[in-house]
Amino acid sequence: MEKLPKVEGRENAELRLIRLLKERGVEDPKAKKLLANWTQRQEGKVKKSSDPATAAIKLNLRKARLYFAAGYEGEALESFEAARMQTWNEQREELYQTIMAEMNELE
């Protein structure tokens, strides 16, 4: 099995989560817990951000890319869709077009 790179002597949390999702699946209790913890930490950063709307969009994009890297295209597309709708609601046309282009590449 291919080992994922480590960051600063320990595995990056996102890479660890991707590895765990690939190995065990999204329904595995350990994977679910790690995903929930990661999401909670990221949502805390969104709340503390000086621009929570942009931070929330970026979080959904990170989550989408994480799911896609782990092989969960349906979940990835749901997160991309959430980010797309957020950019639409925030009237951020350039970011909206960037997300649309990335989504089209995945489909």
Side-chain angles (χ1 to χ4, degrees):
M1 174 167 44
E2 179 183 339
K3 292 211 175 205
L4 295 172
K6 296 190 180 234
V7 177
E8 298 178 14
R10 53 179 236 263
E11 193 172 31
N12 173 299
E14 287 180 29
L15 293 177
R16 186 168 146 227
L17 184 52
I18 291 167
R19 180 180 49 81
L20 196 59
L21 288 171
K22 281 182 178 180
E23 290 174 358
R24 297 181 177 213
V26 292
E27 295 303 319
D28 175 76
K30 186 174 181 180
K32 274 185 167 180
K33 183 177 180 181
L34 187 60
L35 179 60
N37 289 341
W38 178 84
T39 302
Q40 186 177 22
R41 283 192 308 274
Q42 301 311 311
E43 288 172 347
K45 291 177 184 178
V46 167
K47 289 177 185 174
K48 293 177 184 177
S49 172
S50 60
D51 184 0
T54 299
I57 292 166
K58 289 180 179 181
L59 172 57
N60 274 321
L61 290 173
R62 285 177 66 197
K63 190 180 260 189
R65 293 172 184 139
L66 184 144
Y67 276 130
F68 189 77
Y72 292 93
E73 292 181 24
E75 289 83 349
L77 288 173
E78 286 178 22
S79 292
F80 273 119
E81 180 64 19
R84 186 186 70 80
M85 290 305 298
Q86 287 170 306
T87 58
W88 179 261
N89 292 336
E90 293 289 323
Q91 300 176 357
R92 297 178 184 206
E93 182 65 28
E94 187 175 319
L95 184 53
Y96 178 86
Q97 293 302 326
T98 301
I99 292 170
M100 289 301 297
E102 190 169 350
M103 288 176 74
N104 287 336
E105 285 179 26
L106 298 178
E107 296 177 339

